[in-house]
Amino acid sequence: MENKTITLKIEYFGDDKDYQLIISINLSIKHLRNSIEDLLHIRIKKPLKLKKAGRTNLDNLNDEEKTIEQYRLRTGDTIPIYREDFLGKKK
């Protein structure tokens, strides 16, 4: 079975920088959240939000057991992390 990956844009408003995260579409949303936390060295409140490429509204990624593929995330989609979304630095 082929392990497809996508590249997501992470907009982190804690330092006003944008990051890119390459991740397998077979992984869960919980794994995605953990990967973002590791990338940014923070702890995130749940749920993550998603901004689809070309759209302005945000979708909640409420079910952390669903996979990235089930939520239909694609390369170019954005996960915004606002200041009020993080709980502090990850140890």
Side-chain angles (χ1 to χ4, degrees):
M1 183 167 129
E2 187 178 338
N3 189 13
K4 292 186 178 183
T5 61
I6 59 170
T7 303
L8 296 173
K9 180 179 174 185
I10 311 299
E11 287 183 345
Y12 178 47
F13 293 94
D15 62 8
D16 293 321
K17 292 183 182 176
D18 292 340
Y19 299 85
Q20 288 192 348
L21 179 66
I22 299 171
I23 193 159
S24 169
I25 62 172
N26 298 322
L27 297 174
S28 69
I29 296 301
K30 183 176 184 175
H31 188 92
L32 171 62
R33 183 174 51 84
N34 290 335
S35 296
I36 294 170
E37 288 178 340
D38 290 343
L39 174 69
L40 302 176
H41 305 291
I42 62 170
R43 292 181 302 138
I44 301 171
K45 293 179 191 176
K46 298 184 254 183
L48 291 175
K49 295 176 179 65
L50 169 69
K51 181 179 175 190
K52 297 292 283 176
R55 291 180 40 200
T56 56
N57 61 324
L58 298 176
D59 298 323
N60 284 328
L61 303 176
N62 293 323
D63 186 351
E64 289 203 330
E65 299 306 315
K66 278 188 173 180
T67 65
I68 292 168
E69 184 175 33
Q70 287 172 316
Y71 267 114
R72 295 189 175 115
L73 275 70
R74 302 288 180 251
T75 292
D77 289 348
T78 302
I79 305 287
I81 308 294
Y82 300 103
R83 285 185 177 92
E84 62 269 14
D85 290 340
F86 67 92
L87 296 170
K89 293 290 182 186
K90 193 171 188 177
K91 301 203 190 258

